[in-house]
Each structure stands twice: as C-alpha cells, then as structure tokens.
Amino acid sequence: ILNVEQSPQSLHVQEGDSTNFTCSFPSSNFYALHWYRWETAKSPEALFVMTLNGDEKKKGRISATLNTKEGYSYLYIKGSQPEDSATYLCAFRGAGNMLTFGGGTRLMVKP
Amino acid sequence: DGGITQSPKYLFRKEGQNVTLSCEQNLNHDAMYWYRQDPGQGLRLIYYSQIVNDFQKGDIAEGYSVSREKKESFPLTVTSAQKNPTAFYLCASRAPTTRGEQYFGPGTRLTVT
C-alpha cells in the first residue's frame, strides 16, 4: 500500500489569512497528483489534476505546485474566506487508474 | 443534471445482516469506485470496476462484494464477514480523460450495532 501523507491534519485561520498545506507521495511510478475539496455535507470535488514536475495550477485564490522528483505538492489559499472551510484531499495516481488518498487537511476559516 | 447518486444517506443495520449500498451514475463513465472513510483516515479503496461485468478488489475488499451488471450502477454489499462495517462509504466514477478526475456521490453513512 502506497504512503500518501498530508500535513497538517487541521488548520484554523482567520479570514484574510493566507495559508498552505502539504501532500507528500512516492516519487517513483508517478502519473498524476489530484487535489479535491470536500465541504461538509457535500461530495468531494476535483480542484486540480497535476501531471508534470514543476506544474503550477491556479483556480481563483487557490493554487498548487508539484515536485515529482522529491514527491510533494503544496496547496496555497490566498486571503482565506469562510467559504474556503473544507477538507482538502490529495491523491496519488500511479501506473493504474486507482487513486491513493492522503488523510486530508481540514481547514477552518473564522470570520 | 449529470452526477452520482447514493442512497440512502444514513443506514442502520443489526450485526450479522448483509446490507447493500446503492450507487448510480448518469455521467456515462466506464470506471466506478467504492471507498470507505473512517475518522482520521483518508479514503480507502474497497472495489473498482473499469467496465461493465468486470471488477477488481481494492486495498480493503475483505467482507465486501460488488456487481457491475449495468454501466450506470455499481452496488456494494457489506456482508456479515466485514468485521468493522460502521463507516462512511463513498462511490465515485472516473472521467474518461487523460486527467482522470473522479466524481463523487454524497456518500452513505452505515451504522451497524
């Protein structure tokens, strides 16, 4: 079983703060790294799918970077808002079409 | 609207009973997946199906069974052999693109007492 780890497990920030969290994954047999946002009482939704070393993706105030050689990805949120409160999941995809998920980072943004 | 539906949202069963969780999609996706989530843990893969009439065990298949008779449907049966069945169960399908992002249902919370 592959080891995908996310840190921190949870994070409390004030509205307007910028924040970031980490996903570490195996650096071998890499195919893609997925980020999902999971709001309470909703279904997880895809944020980014990253495949190339050095890749950077952006969606509004959220961005992500990827380092496949050292096996990590960072997710950044600029100027956090209460609606950003969610659990952020990363998932490693190797040679098959299966995803191995990390434990998630639970973000809570206080107004 | 295209999407994945899971029913019911909450399910309660007595120990020793088999129970089947429903998962239906109208996204026309070939691949479907079942995951389990326990508190403090990530999603763990139970079973997956790449195409109709074919399915494979995931990391934690013991005590579970599935069928894939139709493209739209991928039901999961939690059998009495599953030692710790109380959990949150998520169904997903995969987009047939190189990105391969997964689309998730709303989940079923199963409680076995």
Side-chain angles (χ1 to χ4, degrees), chain A residues 28-33 50-52 92-97, chain B residues 98-99:
Chain A
S28 59
N29 298 317
F30 175 88
Y31 191 87
L33 194 282
M50 308 173 79
T51 56
L52 298 175
F92 170 86
R93 180 178 166 195
N97 285 318
Chain B
T98 52
R99 282 161 35 102

Side-chain angles (χ1 to χ4, degrees), chain B residues 2-37:
Chain B
I4 298 184
T5 56
Q6 291 185 245
S7 60
K9 194 170 182 178
Y10 299 96
L11 195 51
F12 298 88
R13 280 294 182 271
K14 294 287 187 186
E15 196 173 320
Q17 292 179 333
N18 291 355
V19 59
T20 297
L21 281 58
S22 164
C23 176
E24 304 281 328
Q25 55 106 352
N26 61 4
L27 299 167
N28 201 34
H29 291 168
D30 285 314
M32 296 185 73
Y33 304 81
W34 273 105
Y35 296 95
R36 167 182 173 139
Q37 191 201 30

